[in-house]
């Protein structure tokens, strides 16, 4: 359920000077438009700024020279880690026939053929890495003795967070958007990392920190909207404003229903704070092709016309089919500065 009036009072009493109106606005809007759903998160225990679509992204903002999907032709070896789903590993995806493997690695491209003539396709191919970059990114998400991937800690206040020693990314979205399922898919090559998925929306109540070797940290944020923690606004606002090693925020949007009013509130906050972010459409396996294309085009138009800090390309993912998971791993590696070959190009 949404926080009670008494909960609002507690949050407002602890707000910093000048913060009250923004907190009250967020809570009222989030309460009015909270949406319940079956898929939810769980507790798992640099440079800022990009350009809108109307002008080229600045250097380092994530745009790389296109690489043809045909670069995925070689058949690579390599075993999938114990307990990992088969398509979690790029080597298994490469064994599929060309059309299917392109759809899994670059799901946005799969929609291009259905666009009306004259539609701008540039936002579909801004980040299109080659095979070498995809393999390097996968290696970062595959744990071994010399490269541990660990849950570090959980926090509700900034003074409880781990030291900001590494580049960091955070994942945030509505409480039933499938955030935990996606993070579990990203870490599927490190089966010892427990990322639990609950059927109860709003199960994640804290910021959960995962350390990926010596390279970066991934933060699982509480969901907003349905059953959000009472101190959600203050927790998230403090993190976004004070975590100076934060390189990118990944805003998850349900690919079936598209942008909701609570998502617009999250966008307003990120824009107000000047936080660079990227939108990720989840659950694409549940959406028909026509519905998915409709949502993609509407969100791309919104990003072009109404945002400054959002990366122009959307990332489409399915935690069930692993569509887009390999590409998203690569983008995480890129924005945290761990793909030097891509950065150089």
């Amino acid at each position: 359920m949404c926080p009670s009036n008494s909960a609002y009072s507690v949050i407002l009493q602890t707000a910093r000077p000048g913060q009250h109106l923004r907190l009250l606005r967020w809570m009222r809007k989030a309460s009015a438009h909270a949406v319940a759903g079956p898929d939810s998160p769980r507790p798992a225990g640099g440079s800022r700024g990009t350009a809108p679509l109307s002008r080229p992204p600045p250097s380092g903002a994530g745009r790389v020279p296109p690489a043809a999907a045909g670069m995925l032709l070689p058949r690579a070896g390599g075993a999938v880690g114990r307990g990992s789903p088969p398509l979690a590993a790029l080597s298994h995806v490469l064994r599929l026939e060309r059309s299917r493997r392109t759809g899994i690695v670059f799901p946005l491209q799969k929609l291009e053929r259905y666009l009306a003539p004259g539609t701008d396709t540039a936002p579909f191919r801004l980040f299109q890495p080659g095979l070498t970059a995809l393999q390097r990114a996968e290696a970062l998400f595959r744990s071994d003795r010399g490269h541990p991937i660990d849950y570090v800690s959980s926090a509700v206040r900034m003074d409880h967070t781990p030291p900001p020693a590494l580049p960091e990314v955070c994942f945030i979205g509505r409480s039933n958007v499938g955030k935990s399922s996606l993070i579990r898919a990203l870490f599927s090559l490190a089966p010892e990392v427990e990322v639990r998925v609950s059927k109860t929306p709003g199960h994640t109540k804290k910021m959960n920190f995962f350390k990926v070797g010596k390279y970066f940290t991934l933060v699982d944020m509480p969901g907003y909207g349905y059953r959000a923690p009472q101190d959600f606004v203050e927790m998230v606002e403090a993190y976004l404003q004070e975590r100076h090693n934060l390189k990118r925020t990944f805003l998850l949007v349900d690919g079936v229903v598209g942008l909701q009013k609570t998502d617009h509130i999250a966008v307003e906050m990120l824009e107000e704070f000047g936080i660079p972010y990227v939108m990720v459409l989840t659950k694409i396996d549940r959406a028909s092709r026509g519905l998915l294309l409709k949502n993609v085009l509407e969100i791309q138009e919104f990003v072009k016309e109404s945002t400054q800090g959002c990366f122009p390309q959307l990332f489409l993912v399915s935690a069930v089919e692993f569509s887009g998971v390999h590409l998203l791993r690569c983008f995480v590696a890129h924005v945290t500065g761990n793909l030097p070959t891509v950065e150089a190009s």
Side-chain angles (χ1 to χ4, degrees):
M1 298 176 62
C2 296
S4 64
N5 289 334
S6 60
Y8 287 159
S9 299
V10 172
I11 298 173
L12 289 172
Q13 288 171 9
T14 59
R16 298 189 298 273
Q19 189 185 34
H20 298 78
L21 289 178
R22 185 160 60 242
L23 288 174
L24 188 60
R25 180 185 63 193
W26 172 288
M27 290 184 293
R28 282 176 174 171
K29 288 183 178 179
S31 298
H33 305 298
V35 180
D39 191 8
S40 77
R42 79 323 101 247
S47 62
R48 296 195 172 198
T50 55
L53 185 59
S54 56
R55 54 182 189 273
S59 175
R63 180 167 186 158
V64 298
M71 291 190 68
L72 298 181
L73 284 174
R75 293 192 176 190
V80 179
R82 178 174 55 85
S84 301
L87 293 182
L90 188 61
S91 60
H92 285 216
V93 177
L94 297 180
R95 296 170 187 166
L96 303 174
E97 57 90 15
R98 179 169 180 162
S99 175
R100 189 180 175 204
R101 71 171 178 258
T102 300
I104 289 177
V105 179
F106 300 109
L108 196 58
Q109 289 185 20
K110 192 175 181 181
L111 297 176
E112 279 191 65
R113 70 186 73 174
Y114 305 106
L115 295 173
T119 302
D120 181 15
T121 60
F124 285 70
R125 295 174 177 263
L126 291 176
F127 185 78
Q128 191 178 350
L131 179 59
T132 300
L134 290 164
Q135 290 173 328
R136 166 62 179 160
E138 179 174 289
L140 292 174
F141 282 88
R142 185 189 296 274
S143 62
D144 58 38
R145 184 172 301 177
H147 176 62
I149 300 176
D150 300 313
Y151 161 77
V152 179
S153 64
S154 297
V156 295
R157 299 197 332 236
M158 289 303 295
D159 54 358
H160 292 167
T161 59
L166 296 173
E168 199 159 276
V169 295
C170 75
F171 283 65
I172 190 170
R174 289 192 300 120
S175 58
N176 60 332
V177 77
K179 177 167 53 67
S180 297
S181 297
L182 175 57
I183 294 175
R184 185 170 64 175
L186 291 171
F187 285 140
S188 56
L189 299 177
E192 70 279 7
V193 178
E194 183 181 6
V195 184
R196 289 177 291 170
V197 178
S198 171
K199 292 184 178 180
T200 305
H203 200 51
T204 303
K205 302 298 183 184
K206 301 179 180 180
M207 300 178 286
N208 299 311
F209 292 78
F210 297 88
K211 184 179 179 183
V212 180
K214 60 182 180 180
Y215 298 99
F216 65 90
T217 303
L218 186 149
V219 187
D220 178 14
M221 304 293 285
Y224 52 79
Y226 182 70
R227 295 187 64 187
Q230 292 183 1
D231 53 356
F232 171 83
V233 177
E234 189 166 48
M235 183 195 317
V236 173
E237 183 178 88
Y239 172 84
L240 293 175
Q241 289 189 301
E242 300 175 19
R243 199 70 172 175
H244 299 301
N245 60 326
L246 178 63
K247 298 302 180 183
R248 197 68 51 115
T249 294
F250 290 76
L251 177 62
L252 275 55
V253 176
D254 192 318
V256 178
V257 300
L259 279 173
Q260 300 294 291
K261 292 183 178 180
T262 47
D263 298 320
H264 283 277
I265 298 169
V267 169
E268 288 175 9
M269 180 180 65
L270 293 168
E271 291 286 333
E272 181 178 349
F273 295 160
I275 305 294
Y277 61 103
V278 59
M279 290 194 195
V280 180
L281 269 64
T282 63
K283 307 179 186 178
I284 63 171
D285 55 288
R286 300 186 185 180
S288 66
R289 184 176 64 216
L291 177 61
L292 184 60
L293 185 58
K294 171 181 173 292
N295 288 336
V296 165
L297 293 176
E298 287 180 353
I299 295 174
Q300 283 185 338
E301 182 66 18
F302 169 77
V303 169
K304 177 181 178 180
E305 299 296 334
S306 305
T307 72
Q308 292 292 322
C310 186
F311 184 62
Q313 178 176 319
L314 306 180
F315 287 81
L316 277 55
V317 296
S318 166
V320 175
E321 300 176 348
F322 277 85
S323 300
V325 171
H326 304 279
L327 185 64
L328 192 61
R329 285 175 181 157
C330 198
F331 193 71
V332 170
H334 172 59
V335 297
T336 54
N338 288 299
L339 285 182
T341 56
V342 174
E343 296 285 354
S345 65

